[in-house]
Amino acid sequence: MRACGLVNYRIGMIAQLLVGHGGLDKYRYKTELKIPKPTPGEVLIKVEACGINNTDLWTREGAYAADDDEQGGWQPLNFPKIQGADVVGVIAECGQGVDEKRIGELVLVNPTIYPPSGDECECKFIGSERDGGFASHCVVPARNAIMVPNTCVYTPYELASFACASQTAWHMIKRSRLQKGERVIITGASGGVGTSLVQMSKFVGAYVIAVCSSSKAKAVRDIGADFTIDRRTGESKKLLIEALKKHSAEMNGHKAADEKDPSSYHKADEKNPSPCHVDVVLDNVAGAMVIPLLEVLRPHGRYATAGSIGGRFPRVHWPTFYLKQLDLLGCMLSTEEEFIEVSDMIFKGRLKPMVAKVFPLKDLVKAQQYFMSKGFVGKLVIDCKNPESAT
C-alpha cells in the first residue's frame, strides 16, 4: 500500500489530449483539465507511469482503416481522447460498490474492457475507446486494476512496460498452440511484443528463431533467443531458407546430449520433412516477410499474427497457404484469464522488463518520434508522476 491523500478536484488534471487523427501536431498538452470521478464499479488511479505501444501511433494516424486513403480507429472514436494503455499507478478513490480499503493500492491495469460475452473481438480498449494513462489521473473498472503484491520487485516504470505487449504475446502463444520442442520464428523480436514472445516461448520449451536487426541481435539472444536472423534476410525467401539450412547444418553437427532437447528437432523427419521448416510463425511485422514466412512453415504449420508495421496490405501466395493446409490465426490482446496468467508471471519476476528509455509526459511527442526511429530494444515508458521531467 502507498500513501494517498484525498483527491483535490480543484487542482487540474495534467494530460496529453489527442484532438484528431493525423500527425504529432494532434497532441495538446493540458495542465488544468477536470479530474474524472469514478462511477459505480470504478476506481480513480493517480498514474505513475504508462508505456507506449504501436497502437498509440496507429490510433493517432487512423491507420486501422481498411483502405489506404482513409483514416480510422479499430472502433469509431470521439475526440479529444487521452491515449495510453499500459497504466500503472495508485488507487486514489473508489466508486460506489468498490471496497475503500483498495485506496493506496499500487495497481497494474488490464487495458482490455471485456463485454458480458467475454469475446475479445467485442472489447473496449483503455487508451482508445476509453481515456487512458497519458495523464496524471485515469478512471478504470475496478476489476481491471490488478493489485501489485509487495513481493514484486519491479518499479512502476518497469511494470508499465508489460501489459499490452505481454498479454498480446501470451495470447499469440496460446492461439498458436506452441509446444515444447517446436521451432518458432518470431518477427519484430526486439520490440515490446517480440521481447515478450521470446521469453514466453522459452517458458513453453520451444526453440526460438528471432528476426531482428543485427544491431539488436545480442540483446535478443540475451533474453533467450536460440538463433537470430537479420530482418533484411527475413524479407527474402531464398535468404531466409539459406539461413535456416545453414543453422540446421551447424546444429546437427553437434549431437544433442538429450534427444528430447529442442535443438535435435532441426533434423528432417515425417513431421518436419525439411531442415529449413519451422512449426510456428509468430509475426508482428507482416509486409514483405509474409511470403517467405509462409514458405518455411511446415505442412499443417501455424501462423499467428498481431501486427503489421511492415505493411498492412502484404502480398500472399495463396497456393502455399492452402496446399500446405496452414492455420492462419489473428490475435488481439488476450482473454481475462490469460491476463491473470501474465500478471502472475510479471509479479513473480519470470518476465524481464525491457525499458529502453523513460520520457516525461510533457515530452510525449518526442517519445513517439524516438519510438518511430526503432533504434532501441524493448519499450518506452512515459513518466506521469513527474510530468515535466522524468526521474
Side-chain angles (χ1 to χ4, degrees):
M1 301 290 287
R2 296 194 173 195
C4 187
L6 295 175
V7 179
N8 186 349
Y9 284 96
R10 290 176 297 179
I11 298 176
M13 178 177 75
I14 301 172
Q16 287 278 5
L17 293 184
L18 180 67
V19 298
H21 292 306
L24 292 168
D25 61 323
K26 295 297 183 179
Y27 286 116
R28 302 286 186 273
Y29 182 66
K30 300 292 184 179
T31 59
E32 297 181 354
L33 297 172
K34 186 177 180 180
I35 297 175
K37 292 188 176 183
T39 60
E42 297 180 332
V43 293
L44 173 67
I45 295 174
K46 187 169 177 55
V47 184
E48 297 201 359
C50 188
I52 295 180
N53 294 284
N54 271 310
T55 189
D56 298 318
L57 278 70
W58 277 53
T59 298
R60 169 176 56 77
E61 294 169 352
Y64 287 108
D67 296 310
D68 254 342
D69 57 353
E70 295 181 358
Q71 289 183 321
W74 57 354
Q75 295 185 31
L77 296 181
N78 295 316
F79 296 103
K81 183 68 61 180
I82 299 173
Q83 294 183 288
D86 293 341
V87 182
V88 174
V90 177
I91 294 180
E93 188 170 311
C94 296
Q96 183 181 346
V98 181
D99 191 341
E100 290 191 356
K101 291 180 181 179
R102 296 202 63 185
I103 292 175
E105 282 183 6
L106 178 66
V107 293
L108 170 71
V109 173
N110 180 351
T112 312
I113 300 176
Y114 302 94
S117 67
D119 187 349
E120 313 94 84
C121 293
E122 300 174 2
C123 71
K124 302 293 184 182
F125 194 57
I126 292 171
S128 180
E129 292 74 45
R130 182 175 179 134
D131 283 341
F134 292 155
S136 59
H137 297 79
C138 177
V139 168
V140 303
R143 67 185 295 176
N144 286 66
I146 312 299
M147 184 182 73
V148 178
N150 293 332
T151 53
C152 180
V153 299
Y154 295 145
T155 68
Y157 306 106
E158 290 172 325
L159 289 169
S161 69
F162 287 117
C164 182
S166 297
Q167 72 173 151
T168 301
W170 191 234
H171 189 54
M172 292 177 76
I173 288 173
K174 287 293 194 76
R175 288 266 290 159
S176 66
R177 308 182 302 283
L178 183 64
Q179 300 173 33
K180 180 179 180 179
E182 290 191 314
R183 291 206 301 167
V184 57
I185 287 183
I186 297 170
T187 67
S190 63
V193 176
T195 52
S196 289
L197 280 173
V198 169
Q199 296 180 74
M200 291 172 167
S201 295
K202 295 308 295 182
F203 297 163
V204 173
Y207 188 90
V208 174
I209 301 166
V211 181
C212 60
S213 64
S214 57
S215 63
K216 302 172 184 176
K218 183 182 183 302
V220 173
R221 288 194 297 270
D222 286 345
I223 58 171
D226 296 286
F227 176 52
T228 55
I229 294 176
D230 186 88
R231 62 182 177 83
R232 290 169 294 184
T233 298
E235 294 178 355
S236 164
K237 179 173 72 174
K238 179 181 178 181
L239 293 178
L240 179 59
I241 291 173
E242 287 179 354
L244 290 172
K245 282 184 176 179
K246 180 181 178 181
H247 182 61
S248 293
E250 291 173 351
M251 290 299 298
N252 289 330
H254 305 279
K255 181 176 176 60
D258 180 355
E259 286 301 317
K260 293 183 180 180
D261 187 277
S263 64
S264 68
Y265 283 77
H266 287 241
K267 299 176 182 178
D269 54 29
E270 292 182 1
K271 176 184 175 183
N272 197 357
S274 169
C276 73
H277 279 171
V278 298
D279 304 284
V280 175
V281 168
L282 302 176
D283 182 22
N284 299 298
V285 177
M289 290 190 185
V290 173
I291 290 179
L293 291 171
L294 289 175
E295 188 68 29
V296 300
L297 265 176
R298 66 167 173 83
H300 302 286
R302 289 98 68 197
Y303 186 113
T305 179
S308 51
I309 59 172
R312 291 183 293 158
F313 304 100
R315 294 173 59 234
V316 176
H317 186 247
W318 280 112
T320 299
F321 176 68
Y322 62 74
L323 290 175
K324 291 167 71 173
Q325 299 195 81
L326 304 175
D327 287 353
L328 180 60
L329 304 162
C331 304
M332 180 184 72
L333 302 173
S334 73
T335 65
E336 194 163 16
E337 180 183 0
E338 288 167 346
F339 189 87
I340 296 300
E341 293 170 348
V342 170
S343 61
D344 186 62
M345 295 179 201
I346 295 167
F347 299 153
K348 290 181 178 177
R350 295 188 67 200
L351 274 178
K352 179 182 178 181
M354 302 291 290
V355 179
K357 196 169 183 179
V358 178
F359 290 82
L361 178 60
K362 187 176 182 180
D363 289 344
L364 178 63
V365 169
K366 292 181 180 178
Q368 287 205 5
Q369 289 171 330
Y370 189 74
F371 186 96
M372 290 184 285
S373 76
K374 299 299 179 184
F376 60 94
V377 175
K379 293 288 293 287
L380 303 182
V381 172
I382 297 299
D383 187 343
C384 302
K385 186 177 181 180
N386 306 283
E388 300 289 330
S389 58
T391 57

